[in-house]
Amino acid sequence: TVAASSSPSSHTHHPVMQPVGTSFERFKATFRDRRFGAIHTRTAPRNIDRGEYAQLLYSCCFYLLEESVENDGVEKFNLPKSIFAIFALYTLHQTNPLPMSPPTRQSTPRTKYGHLQEDALKEAWSVLPISREEQNLHRKSYKSPVRIDRKNYLLLLQLSDVCKAIVAHSDELSRHCGIAQDASYIIDKMIFTDNFFS
């Protein structure tokens, strides 16, 4: 029989913590090298609202997050799949090429006779969600917050807690420490950035 050694090893390995962002930087480099950002423009069907198409991409990331939860009596995350979903969501939102929506205007200035000023009228027309290019009218789209439901928001919070626990116990769980640290950072960035979620 083989007896397990009960004496502690004299060569205890303490993992060196990677700087925050190292794992995410690798993800972004792969995203960029594989030209995955083209999914925003090259794969979108014609005559589709680009803002709604972006929301579809985000919902696919949430689907991946939901699928990463394994349920064999107790719910637990498949960390590589969960973190991939989070990194993909954040990167897709950050690389969305749509312009930010213009600020809304309270009223359009008028002349002393009550007529609309021509420049102000042109500016007011420019913020309407309709554009004319090459004699065709089409709907303008703007970058908007990621739509998230309560279930996925709770999954994000739970995943953040799991990642923070891994970082806190980095001696035992060093294999996932760096990526968990980055995932926790990205989740916090999404949650605490104004207008990231709606």
Side-chain angles (χ1 to χ4, degrees):
T1 63
V2 178
S5 169
S6 60
S7 63
S9 170
S10 59
H11 302 291
T12 306
H13 174 66
H14 293 286
V16 177
M17 291 285 279
Q18 296 178 340
V20 174
T22 305
S23 298
F24 183 63
E25 284 300 321
R26 283 191 217 124
F27 176 86
K28 283 195 321 187
T30 304
F31 187 95
R32 183 177 46 253
D33 293 344
R34 299 294 175 245
R35 301 181 190 278
F36 195 72
I39 197 169
H40 286 295
T41 54
R42 303 260 173 105
T43 60
R46 295 190 73 187
N47 303 323
I48 191 172
D49 183 315
R50 299 291 177 149
E52 292 304 314
Y53 179 71
Q55 293 297 331
L56 176 66
L57 296 177
Y58 305 149
S59 68
C60 290
C61 295
F62 287 128
Y63 173 77
L64 293 174
L65 178 62
E66 290 174 19
E67 288 295 303
S68 73
V69 178
E70 298 168 350
N71 195 349
D72 49 350
V74 177
E75 285 189 348
K76 61 181 180 179
F77 288 98
N78 176 319
L79 272 183
K81 289 181 180 179
S82 303
I83 293 172
F84 173 81
I86 296 310
F87 284 180
L89 174 65
Y90 183 77
T91 307
L92 284 169
H93 184 265
Q94 294 304 106
T95 58
N96 185 341
L98 293 174
M100 298 302 288
S101 61
T104 55
R105 174 175 244 193
Q106 297 301 324
S107 63
T108 304
R110 297 177 178 269
T111 64
K112 63 181 180 177
Y113 300 110
H115 302 293
L116 294 172
Q117 294 176 355
E118 188 174 338
D119 290 341
L121 188 58
K122 285 180 184 175
E123 184 183 337
W125 276 99
S126 72
V127 298
L128 288 177
I130 294 176
S131 178
R132 195 174 118 190
E133 290 179 10
E134 299 174 6
Q135 304 303 323
N136 292 323
L137 285 177
H138 69 88
R139 181 178 168 82
K140 282 186 195 173
S141 295
Y142 298 107
K143 188 173 183 176
S144 60
V146 175
R147 291 185 207 132
I148 187 170
D149 62 10
R150 186 173 295 157
K151 176 184 177 183
N152 283 301
Y153 195 79
L154 287 173
L155 283 177
L156 273 182
L157 294 176
Q158 289 170 354
L159 180 58
S160 178
D161 289 346
V162 167
C163 290
K164 287 174 182 170
I166 289 171
V167 173
H169 299 94
S170 58
D171 288 347
E172 303 94 37
L173 303 165
S174 59
R175 188 167 62 100
H176 293 300
C177 186
I179 197 167
Q181 183 178 339
D182 285 5
S184 173
Y185 174 76
I186 293 297
I187 293 169
D188 285 350
K189 206 167 177 184
M190 289 190 289
I191 289 173
F192 296 113
T193 298
D194 289 341
N195 299 322
F196 190 93
F197 291 122
S198 68

